[in-house]
Amino acid sequence: MAETPNTQNWPELAIGLYDKLTGRNAEISYSFDEFELNVPSSTAADSPSAHWKMNGTIRIATRDRAADQAS
């Protein structure tokens, strides 16, 4: 099995997640109730972070438009 390289930043994480889900009609749904999270600005050990508060639902869904058009 090929080794997956480590994610170095938030855009790489988002792209990797999208690539894994596309073409699989996948959806990930998260529901938050007064959830708080400190999000680092980088992967460095001393990286500053932003404080996020979340309430509600975040839904991530993908689809393969080329496959949709072919059917």
Side-chain angles (χ1 to χ4, degrees), residues 13-69:
L13 177 65
I15 291 166
L17 179 61
Y18 180 82
D19 285 346
K20 293 284 185 189
L21 298 176
T22 300
R24 298 182 179 159
N25 295 322
E27 179 176 303
I28 299 174
S29 181
Y30 301 98
S31 294
F32 300 102
D33 183 24
E34 297 183 29
F35 179 78
E36 297 186 29
L37 175 69
N38 287 319
V39 180
S41 61
S42 75
T43 57
D46 60 349
S47 174
S49 62
H51 186 78
W52 291 4
K53 290 183 177 184
M54 295 176 248
N55 286 303
T57 302
I58 295 176
R59 195 168 277 120
I60 301 169
T62 65
R63 69 178 182 191
D64 187 340
R65 289 182 189 251
D68 289 347
Q69 292 172 352

